[in-house]
Amino acid sequence: MGSGYTLSTPESEDYVQSLAAEINEQIETMMGQSPKISLTDALVLCCMNYADCYQKSERSADHMRAQLSDYLEDAAKARIELDDAKREIEKLRQRMDAAQTGSGN
């Protein structure tokens, strides 16, 4: 919106410029839709929008992490059950082999 700032960030200049362009576009849109809105009010609304998006993204990420954790736990349980089943199958094979050997077949 015509102001310049000096920033210190590990991000690339192109990335920072893209953020500034996105914010400028949002502010221009707000001010175009409501010509009586002040720049300060447009900035506050823009900040509220970004804070809302951030909070929703955090909740979504937390939910995905919880789901992933549940899936990993289920996979670990399934792996244990599979190992138990393989051991049981091996025991039954050995019993069958011993029974067949003992009966002379």
Side-chain angles (χ1 to χ4, degrees):
M1 298 305 296
S3 298
Y5 299 92
T6 302
L7 303 174
S8 176
T9 178
E11 303 297 338
S12 72
E13 182 176 347
D14 288 341
Y15 176 74
V16 174
Q17 291 291 342
S18 72
L19 293 177
E22 183 179 328
I23 292 169
N24 277 339
E25 183 179 323
Q26 283 192 12
I27 292 169
E28 287 172 358
T29 299
M30 282 182 214
M31 293 179 82
Q33 292 172 348
S34 302
K36 293 184 180 182
I37 193 171
S38 70
L39 177 58
T40 302
D41 289 342
L43 287 168
V44 169
L45 292 173
C46 188
C47 288
M48 290 293 293
N49 184 45
Y50 276 104
D52 178 49
C53 289
Y54 173 77
Q55 290 293 323
K56 288 177 181 173
S57 295
E58 284 294 307
R59 281 195 297 266
S60 178
D62 288 344
H63 179 69
M64 285 190 277
R65 279 190 284 272
Q67 278 186 322
L68 181 58
S69 179
D70 290 345
Y71 294 150
L72 291 173
E73 187 177 313
D74 290 346
K77 287 178 184 176
R79 195 173 312 118
I80 290 169
E81 290 173 6
L82 177 63
D83 289 343
D84 290 345
K86 285 180 179 179
R87 281 192 291 278
E88 185 64 25
I89 289 169
E90 186 56 34
K91 285 180 188 177
L92 292 172
R93 277 193 183 130
Q94 288 173 359
R95 276 191 192 164
M96 284 178 46
D97 290 346
Q100 286 176 351
T101 305
S103 66
N105 292 347

